[in-house]
Amino acid sequence: MTLSTVRPAVRVGGFSTVLRIRAVLTVIALAVLLIGLFAWDMSVGDFRIPIGKVLEVLGGGGTRAQRFVIMDSRLPRACAAVVVGAALGLAGAVTQSILRNPLASPDILGITSGASVGAVAVLIGVGGTGTGIAAALGVSVAALLGGLLTAVLIYLLAWGRTTTGDSGVMGFRLVLIGIGVNAALLAVVSWLLTRATLTDAAHAQLWLTGSLNSADWSTLVPATIGLGIAVLVCVASTRTLAAMRFGPDTTRILGVRMQTQQAVLIAAAVVCAALATAAVGPLGFVGLAAPQTARRLLRTPGEPIIASALVGGIAVVGADLLARTVFPVAVPVGVVTAAVGGPFLLYLLVRTNRKATL
């Protein structure tokens, strides 16, 4: 290795890290792209507003009509797209890093379905007529409890003897159990819909498609708080996540309490996924595709946390733009993410199978 290829080190007190110029520039580019799509998303609609005027309104200017359209109608929707996408991207990055499996995303593992069971039960129970912060917190709490209970169930079912003879959770086994639990929970959601009235079932079914149409500040606050807490936990555990990518034996040698750290990080991922689901409904494949896309863009050995969150936000905001501009009639954003994410899942399956046969 020549001196020109050595990455510069950054030291602040007792903290030191390696500065990866390419990764930093890529993260900055992703942030700029997200901001651009965020402004573009607020400019389109029945009443089109130029992006320059959107930025002017956000800065406190603009006409009264423009301020009403942007601040009261479109800003909550665009913010929800960013927060939900970032939460799902972060949750996917954490689960894929811990389990060392590109298929280990919240929707594949059943976390999103567990949150959906709790949220649908509340939506049907209140008749879909609850409004305000109390009703929003009811759905959010139910979704969070549903996601947490599902995660605990999957974790307990996956607990057993590892290849080294120790007690613990194997990533491959957890993924398989998560797929089975996910199928069972989807059946529970269908059963709940059959027990509801026609009006309640229609309301819940619209929510299940994943839509930003009903996004408002009351539903966005819990998801934003959950995302903020999860980001702090994950950033503080960056070195732990890096160690876990080497496998259980190396992780223990490095002095990491593997089972404890796994539980904390999975809990953070579950909180993100559950509250994001409660805010706008389940959005399939965002948590699956965002970390893998970020990993390829940054060329890192593992799934980057911040970049995955940015890519998740870009994916949901971009899907919302496509849903409202490309199709003759506006469609729920969840339909677009599923249509794009399905082929991406097939790509990952084929790629994983090829690696296994080499």
Side-chain angles (χ1 to χ4, degrees), residues 190-288:
S190 299
W191 176 78
L192 287 174
L193 293 177
T194 63
R195 303 284 296 178
T197 64
L198 183 60
T199 302
D200 296 344
H203 180 74
Q205 188 62 54
L206 178 62
W207 181 87
L208 286 170
T209 59
S211 175
L212 295 170
N213 293 334
S214 59
D216 55 28
W217 297 120
S218 62
T219 60
L220 187 58
V221 168
T224 306
I225 294 174
L227 175 62
I229 295 174
V231 167
L232 293 177
V233 172
C234 293
V235 170
S237 305
T238 301
R239 294 182 181 272
T240 300
L241 281 171
M244 287 182 177
R245 297 187 185 111
F246 291 103
D249 294 336
T250 305
T251 302
R252 293 190 183 93
I253 291 173
L254 293 174
V256 177
R257 296 181 178 179
M258 187 168 178
Q259 300 304 326
T260 302
Q261 292 297 321
Q262 270 188 349
V264 171
L265 290 168
I266 288 178
V270 169
V271 168
C272 275
L275 292 179
T277 302
V280 300
L283 299 181
F285 301 106
V286 176
L288 174 75

Side-chain angles (χ1 to χ4, degrees), residues 24-38 306-307 310-311 314:
V24 172
L25 293 178
T26 303
V27 169
I28 293 175
L30 290 174
V32 172
L33 177 59
L34 178 58
I35 294 172
L37 289 175
F38 178 78
I306 302 300
L310 290 173
V311 173
I314 290 170

Side-chain angles (χ1 to χ4, degrees), residues 27-331:
V27 169
I28 293 175
L30 290 174
V32 172
L33 177 59
L34 178 58
I35 294 172
L37 289 175
F38 178 78
W40 187 12
D41 192 37
M42 287 188 291
S43 71
V44 300
D46 295 333
F47 180 56
R48 287 186 173 271
I49 300 175
I51 294 180
K53 291 295 183 180
V54 171
L55 298 177
E56 183 180 342
V57 170
L58 293 177
T63 64
R64 183 175 181 180
Q66 290 173 344
R67 287 196 299 270
F68 173 78
V69 172
I70 296 298
M71 303 303 293
D72 295 341
S73 177
R74 297 180 184 174
L75 183 60
R77 180 190 185 104
C79 288
V82 173
V83 171
V84 169
L88 293 176
L90 184 143
V94 170
T95 53
Q96 291 175 12
S97 295
I98 292 176
L99 303 178
R100 295 184 297 138
N101 192 320
L103 301 179
S105 65
D107 46 346
I108 301 296
L109 294 178
I111 306 302
T112 301
S113 297
S116 297
V117 170
V120 169
V122 171
L123 288 172
I124 292 175
V126 300
T129 58
T131 57
I133 297 178
L137 287 178
V139 175
S140 298
V141 171
L144 179 59
L145 290 177
L148 287 173
L149 291 175
T150 302
V152 171
L153 175 63
I154 296 172
Y155 200 83
L156 292 177
L157 291 176
W159 188 274
R161 292 288 180 182
T162 64
T163 54
T164 60
D166 300 325
S167 296
V169 174
M170 294 181 63
F172 187 73
R173 183 165 55 199
L174 192 146
V175 171
L176 291 178
I177 291 174
I179 291 173
V181 171
N182 182 51
L185 291 174
L186 290 176
V188 173
V189 171
S190 299
W191 176 78
L192 287 174
L193 293 177
T194 63
R195 303 284 296 178
T197 64
L198 183 60
T199 302
D200 296 344
H203 180 74
Q205 188 62 54
L206 178 62
W207 181 87
L208 286 170
T209 59
S211 175
L212 295 170
N213 293 334
S214 59
D216 55 28
W217 297 120
S218 62
T219 60
L220 187 58
V221 168
T224 306
I225 294 174
L227 175 62
I229 295 174
V231 167
L232 293 177
V233 172
C234 293
V235 170
S237 305
T238 301
R239 294 182 181 272
T240 300
L241 281 171
M244 287 182 177
R245 297 187 185 111
F246 291 103
D249 294 336
T250 305
T251 302
R252 293 190 183 93
I253 291 173
L254 293 174
V256 177
R257 296 181 178 179
M258 187 168 178
Q259 300 304 326
T260 302
Q261 292 297 321
Q262 270 188 349
V264 171
L265 290 168
I266 288 178
V270 169
V271 168
C272 275
L275 292 179
T277 302
V280 300
L283 299 181
F285 301 106
V286 176
L288 174 75
Q292 294 303 309
T293 303
R295 179 178 181 178
R296 285 159 174 77
L297 289 174
L298 270 67
R299 298 181 182 177
T300 55
E303 292 75 18
I305 299 299
I306 302 300
S308 298
L310 290 173
V311 173
I314 290 170
V316 177
V317 175
D320 187 41
L321 279 168
L322 291 176
R324 294 193 291 132
T325 59
V326 173
F327 300 96
V329 179
V331 299

